[in-house]
Amino acid sequence: MKKSFLALAVAALAATSFASTASATTVYDKDGTSLSIYGRVQAVYYSDEASGVVNGDDKEGSIKATGRLGFDLRSQINPYVAGFAKAEFEMANGDNQPDGSDSFDARYLWVGMDFGQFGQFKVGKFEEAIKYAISQTDIYDDWGCEGLNGNDDRREGVVQYQWSGYGVDVIASYAFAKNNEHLDGAYQGYAGGVNERETVNLDYSYSFAIGYTSPDVLFGPIAVRAGYAGGEFDDYQNNGANELYLPVNVNGQTLNLTNGIFYDSYDQFAIGLSWGSLNLGPYVAAVYQQRTFDLTDTNVDADTDESKVTGYEFALGYNFGNGLLVRAGYNHQKYEIGSEEAEASVIPVYINYNFNPQVQVWAEARFDAGSDDDSVDDVIAGRGANFNFLTNGTYNSAENVFSVGIRYNI
């Protein structure tokens, strides 16, 4: 790489990382090689119970400040092939750690080759192909996606091929073995002692997705998508990895950290439909997904061989074109494991105003729409259901929460 390119990239990073004064995104573009920088700095106030979800144990209303910084790089190798890369980092103020322990974590990291009409190949850290099939209702900042599985599954060691043409998208991905990975819906996964919910050790996973987007029909295009994903967990005999933590009565037994039930494999399918564009005018969308986990139960007197997460979402939005946009919807999820099951239903509402492309403010709320919230004593005694308890506190959907934020986009 030329020294002048390096010098310019470093200077651009210094000028735009935290000052938030630059308006241009492309900082270098010469001889087929380009560098673009993007990012944001934001401060968000979370209501009492919402602050407990975002900031850890603090259940009082609180402000959380975060930043994000990304780089898009591209270099034309010849008339038919280009190389590209992305690096995006998340910056959090403390991130639930003592003062002075601010984090700077890689959110996306990939490098790849673009073969033009023959598609593109990339490898690195990102979501697998199933994300494409469930993303049409993922249109909120904080309080959406409660009916989805896979929207937060950013994996390391993913390889992916994608082809697009004639309105059709085809995506296939494969992820190699990795320990302590986040996996949506694996609510009892602690990966052999890691103190994070939905954490597992994966042997491998794979995913496929296909979609078609039509030309505009009345107020916008119609898009149809479908996807499938599956994977195998690390051997359950590997030092207790992938053993479930179940603080509930399952098949007549109250199970704990040494319950003898292990994640074995999983598979998922999803379908989505949308009409319109988020950029202007009306937008409507719906998604349905189901992720099923096969379990290995080593207990003699128990037979818990499957857990299942089923969800669907509806979304409505309108962009007035003058900086104001509004969005609302309905999210539902049902979680089943053994003889236990619980459901969560919420209504997210979102209002955003863009003063210009750089500065925006928004307010967002999530309202309970009938989530199971019986007392823990009743749940353990087999007389009720509590979604928050059954999922180890992953989603406290029975609480109404809100957030208000301001953001500066680089």
Short mmCIF file of all heavy atoms in Angstrom, two decimals, residues 97-125:
data_model
loop_
_atom_site.label_atom_id
_atom_site.label_comp_id
_atom_site.label_asym_id
_atom_site.label_seq_id
_atom_site.Cartn_x
_atom_site.Cartn_y
_atom_site.Cartn_z
N GLN A 97 -18.54 -2.19 33.32
CA GLN A 97 -17.28 -2.39 34.02
C GLN A 97 -16.96 -1.15 34.85
O GLN A 97 -17.55 -0.09 34.66
CB GLN A 97 -16.15 -2.66 33.02
CG GLN A 97 -16.38 -3.88 32.14
CD GLN A 97 -16.49 -5.15 32.93
OE1 GLN A 97 -15.74 -5.35 33.89
NE2 GLN A 97 -17.41 -6.03 32.56
N PRO A 98 -16.01 -1.25 35.80
CA PRO A 98 -15.64 -0.07 36.59
C PRO A 98 -15.15 1.06 35.70
O PRO A 98 -14.72 0.84 34.56
CB PRO A 98 -14.51 -0.61 37.48
CG PRO A 98 -14.74 -2.08 37.54
CD PRO A 98 -15.30 -2.47 36.22
N ASP A 99 -15.19 2.30 36.23
CA ASP A 99 -14.72 3.44 35.47
C ASP A 99 -13.30 3.21 34.99
O ASP A 99 -12.44 2.70 35.71
CB ASP A 99 -14.76 4.71 36.33
CG ASP A 99 -16.18 5.16 36.61
OD1 ASP A 99 -17.08 4.70 35.90
OD2 ASP A 99 -16.37 5.96 37.55
N GLY A 100 -13.04 3.63 33.77
CA GLY A 100 -11.71 3.45 33.20
C GLY A 100 -11.56 2.15 32.45
O GLY A 100 -10.49 1.89 31.88
N SER A 101 -12.60 1.32 32.40
CA SER A 101 -12.52 0.04 31.71
C SER A 101 -13.35 0.06 30.43
O SER A 101 -13.99 -0.92 30.08
CB SER A 101 -13.00 -1.09 32.62
OG SER A 101 -12.23 -1.16 33.78
N ASP A 102 -13.35 1.19 29.75
CA ASP A 102 -14.11 1.31 28.51
C ASP A 102 -13.64 0.27 27.50
O ASP A 102 -12.45 -0.01 27.37
CB ASP A 102 -13.96 2.70 27.91
CG ASP A 102 -14.60 3.77 28.78
OD1 ASP A 102 -15.19 3.40 29.80
OD2 ASP A 102 -14.49 4.96 28.44
N SER A 103 -14.59 -0.27 26.72
CA SER A 103 -14.26 -1.32 25.77
C SER A 103 -14.18 -0.76 24.36
O SER A 103 -14.76 0.28 24.04
CB SER A 103 -15.30 -2.43 25.82
OG SER A 103 -16.57 -1.92 25.44
N PHE A 104 -13.46 -1.45 23.50
CA PHE A 104 -13.34 -1.12 22.08
C PHE A 104 -13.33 -2.46 21.37
O PHE A 104 -12.30 -3.08 21.17
CB PHE A 104 -12.04 -0.35 21.83
CG PHE A 104 -11.96 0.28 20.47
CD1 PHE A 104 -12.59 1.49 20.20
CD2 PHE A 104 -11.26 -0.33 19.44
CE1 PHE A 104 -12.52 2.07 18.95
CE2 PHE A 104 -11.17 0.24 18.18
CZ PHE A 104 -11.80 1.45 17.94
N ASP A 105 -14.54 -2.94 21.01
CA ASP A 105 -14.71 -4.31 20.54
C ASP A 105 -15.04 -4.34 19.06
O ASP A 105 -15.77 -3.48 18.54
CB ASP A 105 -15.82 -5.01 21.31
CG ASP A 105 -15.54 -5.08 22.80
OD1 ASP A 105 -14.37 -5.31 23.16
OD2 ASP A 105 -16.48 -4.88 23.59
N ALA A 106 -14.52 -5.36 18.37
CA ALA A 106 -14.80 -5.54 16.96
C ALA A 106 -16.23 -6.05 16.79
O ALA A 106 -16.60 -7.11 17.33
CB ALA A 106 -13.82 -6.52 16.35
N ARG A 107 -17.04 -5.31 16.05
CA ARG A 107 -18.42 -5.72 15.76
C ARG A 107 -18.49 -6.50 14.46
O ARG A 107 -19.15 -7.52 14.38
CB ARG A 107 -19.31 -4.48 15.70
CG ARG A 107 -20.81 -4.75 15.65
CD ARG A 107 -21.59 -3.48 15.88
NE ARG A 107 -23.02 -3.73 15.94
CZ ARG A 107 -23.84 -3.60 14.90
NH1 ARG A 107 -23.36 -3.18 13.73
NH2 ARG A 107 -25.13 -3.86 15.02
N TYR A 108 -17.84 -5.99 13.43
CA TYR A 108 -17.72 -6.68 12.15
C TYR A 108 -16.27 -6.63 11.68
O TYR A 108 -15.61 -5.59 11.80
CB TYR A 108 -18.59 -6.03 11.07
CG TYR A 108 -20.08 -6.20 11.27
CD1 TYR A 108 -20.88 -5.10 11.58
CD2 TYR A 108 -20.68 -7.44 11.14
CE1 TYR A 108 -22.25 -5.24 11.75
CE2 TYR A 108 -22.05 -7.59 11.32
CZ TYR A 108 -22.83 -6.49 11.63
OH TYR A 108 -24.17 -6.64 11.81
N LEU A 109 -15.79 -7.74 11.15
CA LEU A 109 -14.47 -7.81 10.53
C LEU A 109 -14.54 -8.80 9.38
O LEU A 109 -14.83 -9.98 9.62
CB LEU A 109 -13.40 -8.28 11.54
CG LEU A 109 -13.03 -7.36 12.70
CD1 LEU A 109 -12.13 -8.10 13.69
CD2 LEU A 109 -12.32 -6.11 12.19
N TRP A 110 -14.35 -8.31 8.16
CA TRP A 110 -14.32 -9.26 7.06
C TRP A 110 -13.46 -8.75 5.91
O TRP A 110 -13.20 -7.56 5.78
CB TRP A 110 -15.72 -9.62 6.57
CG TRP A 110 -16.49 -8.57 5.82
CD1 TRP A 110 -16.18 -8.01 4.60
CD2 TRP A 110 -17.74 -7.99 6.20
NE1 TRP A 110 -17.16 -7.13 4.21
CE2 TRP A 110 -18.13 -7.11 5.17
CE3 TRP A 110 -18.57 -8.16 7.30
CZ2 TRP A 110 -19.31 -6.38 5.23
CZ3 TRP A 110 -19.75 -7.43 7.36
CH2 TRP A 110 -20.11 -6.55 6.34
N VAL A 111 -13.03 -9.70 5.09
CA VAL A 111 -12.27 -9.40 3.88
C VAL A 111 -12.79 -10.35 2.80
O VAL A 111 -13.19 -11.48 3.09
CB VAL A 111 -10.75 -9.59 4.11
CG1 VAL A 111 -10.43 -11.01 4.49
CG2 VAL A 111 -9.96 -9.14 2.89
N GLY A 112 -12.81 -9.87 1.55
CA GLY A 112 -13.39 -10.71 0.51
C GLY A 112 -13.00 -10.30 -0.89
O GLY A 112 -12.21 -9.37 -1.11
N MET A 113 -13.56 -11.03 -1.86
CA MET A 113 -13.32 -10.80 -3.27
C MET A 113 -14.66 -10.64 -3.97
O MET A 113 -15.59 -11.43 -3.75
CB MET A 113 -12.55 -11.96 -3.89
CG MET A 113 -11.23 -12.27 -3.20
SD MET A 113 -9.95 -11.05 -3.55
CE MET A 113 -9.46 -11.57 -5.18
N ASP A 114 -14.76 -9.61 -4.82
CA ASP A 114 -15.98 -9.32 -5.58
C ASP A 114 -15.72 -9.68 -7.04
O ASP A 114 -14.85 -9.10 -7.69
CB ASP A 114 -16.34 -7.84 -5.44
CG ASP A 114 -17.70 -7.52 -6.04
OD1 ASP A 114 -18.21 -8.33 -6.85
OD2 ASP A 114 -18.25 -6.46 -5.72
N PHE A 115 -16.50 -10.66 -7.56
CA PHE A 115 -16.34 -11.13 -8.93
C PHE A 115 -17.40 -10.55 -9.86
O PHE A 115 -17.69 -11.13 -10.92
CB PHE A 115 -16.37 -12.65 -8.96
CG PHE A 115 -15.32 -13.29 -8.11
CD1 PHE A 115 -15.63 -13.74 -6.84
CD2 PHE A 115 -14.01 -13.41 -8.56
CE1 PHE A 115 -14.67 -14.33 -6.04
CE2 PHE A 115 -13.04 -13.99 -7.77
CZ PHE A 115 -13.37 -14.45 -6.50
N GLY A 116 -17.98 -9.42 -9.49
CA GLY A 116 -18.96 -8.76 -10.33
C GLY A 116 -20.22 -9.58 -10.51
O GLY A 116 -20.85 -10.00 -9.53
N GLN A 117 -20.58 -9.88 -11.76
CA GLN A 117 -21.82 -10.62 -12.05
C GLN A 117 -21.77 -12.07 -11.56
O GLN A 117 -22.79 -12.76 -11.54
CB GLN A 117 -22.08 -10.60 -13.55
CG GLN A 117 -21.02 -11.28 -14.38
CD GLN A 117 -21.35 -11.26 -15.86
OE1 GLN A 117 -22.53 -11.24 -16.25
NE2 GLN A 117 -20.32 -11.25 -16.70
N PHE A 118 -20.61 -12.53 -11.13
CA PHE A 118 -20.48 -13.89 -10.63
C PHE A 118 -20.53 -13.96 -9.11
O PHE A 118 -20.28 -15.01 -8.51
CB PHE A 118 -19.18 -14.53 -11.14
CG PHE A 118 -19.11 -14.61 -12.63
CD1 PHE A 118 -18.32 -13.74 -13.36
CD2 PHE A 118 -19.87 -15.55 -13.32
CE1 PHE A 118 -18.25 -13.82 -14.73
CE2 PHE A 118 -19.82 -15.63 -14.70
CZ PHE A 118 -19.01 -14.76 -15.42
N GLY A 119 -20.87 -12.86 -8.46
CA GLY A 119 -21.06 -12.86 -7.02
C GLY A 119 -19.83 -12.45 -6.25
O GLY A 119 -18.81 -12.03 -6.82
N GLN A 120 -19.91 -12.57 -4.94
CA GLN A 120 -18.81 -12.18 -4.07
C GLN A 120 -18.65 -13.18 -2.93
O GLN A 120 -19.60 -13.84 -2.52
CB GLN A 120 -18.98 -10.77 -3.52
CG GLN A 120 -20.22 -10.55 -2.69
CD GLN A 120 -20.27 -9.12 -2.13
OE1 GLN A 120 -20.44 -8.95 -0.94
NE2 GLN A 120 -20.16 -8.14 -3.00
N PHE A 121 -17.41 -13.27 -2.44
CA PHE A 121 -17.05 -14.18 -1.38
C PHE A 121 -16.38 -13.38 -0.28
O PHE A 121 -15.56 -12.49 -0.55
CB PHE A 121 -16.08 -15.24 -1.93
CG PHE A 121 -15.42 -16.07 -0.86
CD1 PHE A 121 -16.04 -17.20 -0.35
CD2 PHE A 121 -14.17 -15.73 -0.38
CE1 PHE A 121 -15.43 -17.96 0.62
CE2 PHE A 121 -13.54 -16.49 0.60
CZ PHE A 121 -14.18 -17.61 1.10
N LYS A 122 -16.73 -13.66 1.00
CA LYS A 122 -16.09 -12.96 2.10
C LYS A 122 -15.90 -13.91 3.27
O LYS A 122 -16.61 -14.93 3.40
CB LYS A 122 -16.87 -11.72 2.53
CG LYS A 122 -18.22 -11.99 3.17
CD LYS A 122 -18.90 -10.67 3.54
CE LYS A 122 -20.22 -10.90 4.25
NZ LYS A 122 -20.89 -9.61 4.61
N VAL A 123 -14.95 -13.58 4.15
CA VAL A 123 -14.67 -14.40 5.32
C VAL A 123 -14.34 -13.48 6.48
O VAL A 123 -13.71 -12.43 6.29
CB VAL A 123 -13.50 -15.37 5.04
CG1 VAL A 123 -12.25 -14.63 4.61
CG2 VAL A 123 -13.21 -16.25 6.25
N GLY A 124 -14.79 -13.82 7.69
CA GLY A 124 -14.52 -12.99 8.86
C GLY A 124 -15.59 -13.14 9.91
O GLY A 124 -16.13 -14.22 10.14
N LYS A 125 -15.92 -12.02 10.56
CA LYS A 125 -16.90 -11.99 11.64
C LYS A 125 -18.13 -11.21 11.20
O LYS A 125 -18.06 -10.00 10.95
CB LYS A 125 -16.29 -11.33 12.88
CG LYS A 125 -17.25 -11.24 14.07
CD LYS A 125 -16.61 -10.55 15.26
CE LYS A 125 -17.57 -10.47 16.43
NZ LYS A 125 -16.97 -9.82 17.62
#
